[in-house]
Amino acid sequence: MVNVLKKWVESDKREIKRLSKIADKVEAYADAMAALSDEELKAKTPELKNRYKEGETLDDLLPEAFATIREAAKRVLGLYPFRVQIYGGIVLHEGNIAEMKTGEGKTLTATMPVYLNSLAGKGVHVVTVNEYLASRDATEMGELYTWLGLKVGLNVSNKTPDEKREAYNSDITYSTNSELGFDYLRDNMVVYREDMVQRPLNFVIVDEVDSILIDEARTPLIISGQAEKSTTLYTRTDRFAKTLTEKSDYKIDLESKTVSLTEEGIQKAEKYFGLENLYDPDNTALTHHLDNALRANFIMLRDKDYVVSDGEVLIVDQFTGRIMEGRRYSDGLHQAIEAKEHVDIQQETKTMANITYQNFFRMYSKIAGMTGTAKTEQEEFREIYNMEVISIPTNKPVLREDRPDLLYPTLKSKFKAVVEDIKERHEKGQPILVGTVAVETSELLAHLLDKEGIPHAVLNAKNHAKEAEIIMNAGQRGAVTIATNMAGRGTDIKLGAGVKELGGLAVIGTERMNLGELIISCVVVLVVKEIQV
């Protein structure tokens, strides 16, 4: 293990040395760019585009293009990319992964390779983990690109096909991974070429690349249409499942998150449904429904895997903690959960098109990615996507204080200690962010803080619409924010006045993410009521 770590460190040192030489060329243009007027700087975009058309490569144009957008960022956004951000930009342009620590400015880093690659006129896609971030970045960074004469598009789920086509025909398009995938599937279902919205997939930069290309890599995106089938079996199997007792009637494998009937449970099922042999080939439909009823009742947890809102079962994304609007579990699992929760059971669906994220993103001519945590998946990125992970040094030494884990004998004692810690810090005015992994845990902690009279905000799948407002205030003096893992992806928390002197933002993690729980993540399904093929 020590040798592996040593190789990583030495490899990155060599890479940083190589990147440093290219960064020198970029910085050599700094004074010349600063001397240009606004109009002269804007004129650099058509000039660089013409030089590309005349035969210069993007690698040839990199130093001047990077220097151009650095100077433009200073004038438009009041931000000037640091040298280490140039390193990150080069790594992205080369189709690799820039591992940059939280707060090092990945969004600004991406502007350099995005600008450079947009000069080719083939389109650049920037992928974020949710539509809030896609919209935010398209607005904030879009101001910079527009100033330089480029067209910026935003592709989100509520756009019409014509609006989507316009977004994809822009020089730079901001979108989410799922929306890109579903648009690709829809394009493969249209009859006429002019009805397609995407053009050939050229270059994509994926934010939180480990989450999308590794954690969710095998998650299928499925477009489904309505299938006419009865919902009676869902109700019958759900009623039966609710009569069972753990261990004697069924057993759960916690590691694989599967549930199965025992011999006694099988006998109960045969008696309940009036069968001689439950597993007779004629009973295949029943056993399929029964398996789903068992999973729905004993594995899928309300307020963790899903929430019930206005009589509808809504999936909670295991990776981001957000509601997955318009998405349903496949193969009848969603209907089984609806039967469990006594809400209207919607009709089953049939698959009309599907693809995994892994297969979709490999169709791009070039992929690049950013994240704060990618080294642990270095081998997977190399083998699956032919991408290298380069650790970019921080601009300044890290001041954050990381403390060791504290273990408690019971859940009650743990949360008591968490509340006491919050109370102590809150009294001196230090802002606190408390991380939880489930909706129910966040609500339990909120209840305990209510009893102590400590004002707080809760950010989970039930009130994600207030995310921007909650995050905006999370770094203010005296703020207490309880959040599921949805708050940790790409959203900045800015400190209020005087907070630095109080110790900065205190982050309390109430538990570690259990990777075994991610196994249960099912396919992502987009249901369409009418599709013309």
Side-chain angles (χ1 to χ4, degrees), residues 98-122:
E99 184 185 67
M100 302 176 71
K101 291 194 179 297
T102 302
E104 286 298 295
K106 291 191 283 290
T107 305
L108 187 62
T109 297
T111 59
M112 291 177 280
V114 165
Y115 176 69
L116 172 63
N117 283 268
S118 71
L119 299 173
K122 298 175 184 176

Side-chain angles (χ1 to χ4, degrees), residues 233 236-237 240 268-275 278 286 290:
L233 263 182
R236 289 184 67 202
T237 50
F240 169 70
K268 277 191 177 181
E270 290 170 344
K271 183 178 179 182
Y272 188 93
F273 294 103
L275 304 170
L278 176 63
L286 174 63
L290 188 53

Side-chain angles (χ1 to χ4, degrees), residues 430-469:
Q430 185 178 15
I432 305 153
L433 173 65
V434 189
T436 64
V437 298
V439 174
E440 59 182 349
T441 318
S442 65
E443 292 182 342
L444 167 65
L445 190 55
H447 175 67
L448 295 174
L449 292 180
D450 281 335
K451 288 172 70 175
E452 292 291 332
I454 299 173
H456 57 275
V458 182
L459 177 57
N460 59 32
K462 287 185 175 180
N463 66 342
H464 63 103
K466 298 179 181 177
E467 177 177 1
E469 180 186 343

Side-chain angles (χ1 to χ4, degrees), residues 266-373:
I266 292 171
Q267 290 173 13
K268 277 191 177 181
E270 290 170 344
K271 183 178 179 182
Y272 188 93
F273 294 103
L275 304 170
E276 287 187 13
N277 179 7
L278 176 63
Y279 294 103
D280 186 284
D282 292 338
N283 300 325
T284 303
L286 174 63
T287 54
H288 176 69
H289 282 72
L290 188 53
D291 287 342
N292 275 330
L294 294 172
R295 289 184 67 194
N297 278 277
F298 308 125
I299 291 181
M300 305 303 289
L301 303 177
R302 181 169 177 166
D303 289 343
K304 184 172 184 180
D305 299 300
Y306 66 90
V307 297
V308 179
S309 176
D310 297 326
E312 188 178 357
V313 172
L314 304 172
I315 300 175
V316 176
D317 190 329
Q318 292 281 342
F319 301 100
T320 66
R322 288 180 169 80
I323 293 289
M324 301 177 77
E325 296 287 351
R327 311 294 156 81
R328 292 174 65 80
Y329 292 116
S330 66
D331 295 327
L333 179 58
H334 210 99
Q335 285 82 356
I337 297 172
E338 287 169 337
K340 167 192 173 183
E341 297 295 345
H342 305 295
V343 299
D344 289 341
I345 302 172
Q346 297 184 26
Q347 288 289 334
E348 285 188 36
T349 58
K350 58 183 177 182
T351 299
M352 304 178 79
N354 73 88
I355 194 170
T356 63
Y357 285 125
Q358 184 181 108
N359 289 336
F360 172 70
F361 280 105
R362 286 170 67 180
M363 288 189 291
Y364 278 88
S365 300
K366 182 167 68 174
I367 323 172
M370 308 177 288
T371 184
T373 52

Side-chain angles (χ1 to χ4, degrees), residues 96-386:
N96 291 314
I97 294 167
E99 184 185 67
M100 302 176 71
K101 291 194 179 297
T102 302
E104 286 298 295
K106 291 191 283 290
T107 305
L108 187 62
T109 297
T111 59
M112 291 177 280
V114 165
Y115 176 69
L116 172 63
N117 283 268
S118 71
L119 299 173
K122 298 175 184 176
V124 176
H125 294 172
V126 183
V127 177
T128 64
V129 293
N130 60 69
E131 293 191 350
Y132 161 73
L133 291 176
S135 180
R136 183 200 70 178
D137 292 350
T139 302
E140 294 181 1
M141 297 301 114
E143 187 181 348
L144 170 60
Y145 300 128
T146 303
W147 192 85
L148 282 168
L150 297 172
K151 187 179 178 185
V152 180
L154 173 64
N155 175 46
V156 288
S157 57
N158 61 0
K159 298 271 188 181
T160 65
D162 286 341
E163 290 171 332
K164 282 178 171 288
R165 195 175 299 110
E166 184 182 357
Y168 281 119
N169 285 329
S170 300
D171 297 300
I172 301 150
T173 307
Y174 282 86
S175 186
T176 61
N177 48 319
S178 59
E179 206 56 36
L180 286 173
F182 281 128
D183 286 339
Y184 172 79
L185 292 178
R186 292 188 196 99
D187 276 358
N188 278 272
M189 296 172 69
V190 300
V191 178
Y192 303 106
R193 186 178 183 86
E194 56 267 27
D195 291 333
M196 297 174 70
V197 297
Q198 289 183 343
R199 49 179 170 162
L201 303 173
N202 176 45
F203 176 47
V204 62
I205 293 181
V206 183
D207 195 11
E208 304 301 345
V209 67
D210 51 335
S211 171
I212 294 171
L213 295 191
I214 299 295
D215 296 344
E216 297 186 67
R218 303 303 293 274
T219 301
L221 296 169
I222 297 177
I223 289 186
S224 296
Q226 297 292 344
E228 296 300 323
K229 286 189 179 179
S230 171
T231 60
T232 307
L233 263 182
Y234 289 111
T235 307
R236 289 184 67 202
T237 50
D238 178 70
R239 286 174 182 166
F240 169 70
K242 286 181 165 65
T243 68
L244 301 178
T245 306
E246 190 175 357
K247 293 184 180 177
S248 62
D249 297 330
Y250 66 90
K251 55 186 178 183
I252 296 176
D253 185 336
L254 291 174
E255 196 166 322
S256 63
K257 287 283 187 177
T258 57
V259 58
S260 58
L261 293 173
T262 62
E263 284 296 328
E264 191 174 331
I266 292 171
Q267 290 173 13
K268 277 191 177 181
E270 290 170 344
K271 183 178 179 182
Y272 188 93
F273 294 103
L275 304 170
E276 287 187 13
N277 179 7
L278 176 63
Y279 294 103
D280 186 284
D282 292 338
N283 300 325
T284 303
L286 174 63
T287 54
H288 176 69
H289 282 72
L290 188 53
D291 287 342
N292 275 330
L294 294 172
R295 289 184 67 194
N297 278 277
F298 308 125
I299 291 181
M300 305 303 289
L301 303 177
R302 181 169 177 166
D303 289 343
K304 184 172 184 180
D305 299 300
Y306 66 90
V307 297
V308 179
S309 176
D310 297 326
E312 188 178 357
V313 172
L314 304 172
I315 300 175
V316 176
D317 190 329
Q318 292 281 342
F319 301 100
T320 66
R322 288 180 169 80
I323 293 289
M324 301 177 77
E325 296 287 351
R327 311 294 156 81
R328 292 174 65 80
Y329 292 116
S330 66
D331 295 327
L333 179 58
H334 210 99
Q335 285 82 356
I337 297 172
E338 287 169 337
K340 167 192 173 183
E341 297 295 345
H342 305 295
V343 299
D344 289 341
I345 302 172
Q346 297 184 26
Q347 288 289 334
E348 285 188 36
T349 58
K350 58 183 177 182
T351 299
M352 304 178 79
N354 73 88
I355 194 170
T356 63
Y357 285 125
Q358 184 181 108
N359 289 336
F360 172 70
F361 280 105
R362 286 170 67 180
M363 288 189 291
Y364 278 88
S365 300
K366 182 167 68 174
I367 323 172
M370 308 177 288
T371 184
T373 52
K375 270 297 182 184
T376 50
E377 285 92 18
Q378 182 168 250
E379 291 302 317
E380 290 94 326
F381 279 118
R382 183 181 293 128
E383 290 173 12
I384 300 169
Y385 302 100
N386 195 29

